[in-house]
Amino acid sequence: MFKGILIEKDDTGYSAQLKEIDESVLHDGDVTIRVAYSTLNYKDGLAITGKGPVVRRFPMVPGIDLVGTVEHSDNADYKVGDTVVHTGWGVGEVHPGGLAEKARLKGEWLVPLPEAFTPKQAMAIGTAGFTAMLCVMALERHGVTPDDGEVLVTGAAGGVGSVAVSLLVNLGYTVVGVSGRPEENDYIKSLGASEVLERSAFSSPAKPIARERWAGAIDVVGSHTLANVCSTMKYRGVVASCGLAGGMDFPGSVAPFILRGVTLAGIDSVMCPRPERLEAWQRLSRDLDASKLEMLSSEIGLSEIIPVAGDLLEGKVRGRILVDISR
Ligand code: NDP
């Protein structure tokens, strides 16, 4: 038995509880891990509250990412005592995840802990930070450089947004954040953003094309926000779209694409191929100012997960939420 959050669904309904979990709940995998830290991402909030159809197999341990120590391994690439990091691959959705003392995963999903980070720092980054890195890599791949002009980051006080702002600033970009929480403006500026715009400026239906401003953009919100971001991109600007915090629709026009040559780059961290995963962690080691991680993360224990998951979905939390599995 081990302690963790278990999501169950039966005739009485959907429930998430902290309880003692039987090992039989763990699925197949060739590496068993003693989890040290996990985190709360937006997707974990949806899974724990049941507000989104994230969990597709029951009972399920939520937690899409984790860092921990190998306890048992039938995989030649990992030995007992190794510290490993996991994000994505349907873990916490169809395969038991990180919000518990123990996880059993496939070795091919794991990444060795990058030397630049402690286990705690790796989870302060977690899925959200990894996704922010993939977004930055997409902007670069499509040719956006710091000399091209300002880069916009929506949901800037959230997990993906906070790490995206930090990364871009460290790489020399001029970054403008968008936030719906004026009380977090100083925080976003302390990460290095030059300006913070009010969320409402992006939430009305978008014109097909509007005054151009952004050389690049990272959007975690979707819906009208994404449409407004696209219509205000500069000629040949690039938008990395990774989130749906404001909605899954895209009520936009093709005008920015066919008149300004704007590129819309889709970002998925879950099934991201291993070579790009390893590259992204290497880039995080090099390009993220690790001293900012403390500022952009807060820590909770297993018993605090359920109430905080609700706050996360209501947009009330700042940056990244680390979960110390030992308390
Ligand atoms: P957080 O909850 O930490 O951050 C989301 C931020 O979006 C909030 O802090 C808030 O920022 C803003 N926001 C929330 N609701 C709204 C709204 N209705 N309209 C406009 N802005 C809003 O979540 P994460 O950073 O972990 O994830 C962000 C998004 O990215 C989620 O949709 C998540 O599912 C997605 N995601 C996708 C991944 C992928 O692989 N594609 C991987 C990881 C995340 P502020 O208060 O500053 O306005």
Side-chain angles (χ1 to χ4, degrees):
M1 301 289 279
F2 60 95
K3 204 163 55 164
I5 305 290
L6 194 68
I7 298 178
E8 291 168 288
K9 190 180 175 189
D10 56 26
D11 296 344
T12 61
Y14 189 100
S15 70
Q17 283 173 289
L18 174 60
K19 50 164 66 176
E20 289 294 322
I21 301 173
D22 191 90
E23 287 240 1
S24 63
V25 163
L26 297 179
H27 298 178
D28 289 347
D30 50 9
V31 183
T32 304
I33 298 155
R34 171 64 49 178
V35 182
Y37 290 96
S38 182
T39 78
L40 267 189
N41 291 275
Y42 194 85
K43 201 183 245 178
D44 301 315
L46 291 173
I48 291 165
T49 59
K51 287 193 175 147
V54 167
V55 179
R56 281 165 283 137
R57 191 166 163 181
F58 298 90
M60 179 56 55
V61 177
I64 62 173
D65 48 26
L66 64 89
V67 65
T69 309
V70 173
E71 258 189 4
H72 178 86
S73 173
D74 292 321
N75 184 302
D77 291 335
Y78 297 98
K79 59 179 191 320
V80 172
D82 286 351
T83 308
V84 291
V85 179
H86 176 274
T87 65
W89 296 119
V91 165
E93 302 177 54
V94 291
H95 189 108
L99 290 171
E101 288 171 336
K102 212 174 246 204
R104 186 167 300 135
L105 303 174
K106 294 188 182 170
E108 69 211 52
W109 294 342
L110 302 170
V111 169
L113 175 73
E115 272 178 27
F117 302 121
T118 62
K120 195 168 161 175
Q121 287 174 325
M123 273 302 101
I125 297 167
T127 297
F130 173 66
T131 304
M133 189 71 247
L134 294 178
C135 290
V136 172
M137 286 161 61
L139 298 189
E140 291 173 343
R141 197 162 52 243
H142 292 286
V144 182
T145 68
D147 292 338
D148 293 332
E150 296 166 304
V151 175
L152 187 73
V153 176
T154 64
V160 175
S162 293
V163 182
V165 170
S166 304
L167 274 169
L168 288 163
V169 167
N170 213 31
L171 287 164
Y173 290 88
T174 304
V175 181
V176 176
V178 179
S179 177
R181 289 180 282 171
E183 69 276 17
E184 298 297 356
N185 286 6
D186 286 345
Y187 161 70
I188 298 166
K189 284 190 181 157
S190 72
L191 297 175
S194 61
E195 192 183 344
V196 183
L197 302 178
E198 168 53 41
R199 181 196 288 180
S200 58
F202 293 82
S203 51
S204 300
K207 291 180 184 159
I209 208 126
R211 189 174 72 82
E212 54 186 282
R213 179 162 178 189
W214 318 112
I218 294 179
D219 178 58
V220 310
V221 178
S223 193
H224 292 301
T225 299
L226 177 58
N228 277 294
V229 170
C230 289
S231 69
T232 49
M233 295 305 292
K234 283 167 92 167
Y235 188 72
R236 292 215 144 186
V238 182
V239 184
S241 161
C242 73
L244 45 63
M248 212 173 190
D249 57 335
F250 178 41
S253 159
V254 296
F257 311 123
I258 63 175
L259 298 179
R260 287 192 184 150
V262 167
T263 297
L264 182 55
I267 304 299
D268 167 56
S269 65
V270 179
M271 304 305 287
C272 174
R274 188 171 169 80
E276 200 175 326
R277 255 169 218 275
L278 294 170
E279 186 191 343
W281 278 103
Q282 216 166 45
R283 288 289 311 270
L284 283 159
S285 306
R286 194 187 80 191
D287 298 331
L288 185 65
D289 177 356
S291 67
K292 291 225 177 104
L293 285 171
E294 198 145 329
M295 186 162 91
L296 60 74
S297 57
S298 51
E299 193 177 307
I300 61 173
L302 271 177
S303 61
E304 294 157 276
I305 288 174
I306 292 172
V308 177
D311 291 346
L312 179 85
L313 292 188
E314 286 173 27
K316 289 184 185 162
V317 306
R318 168 200 279 187
R320 301 278 297 128
I321 304 167
L322 265 170
V323 181
D324 180 348
I325 299 295
S326 69
R327 66 179 179 91

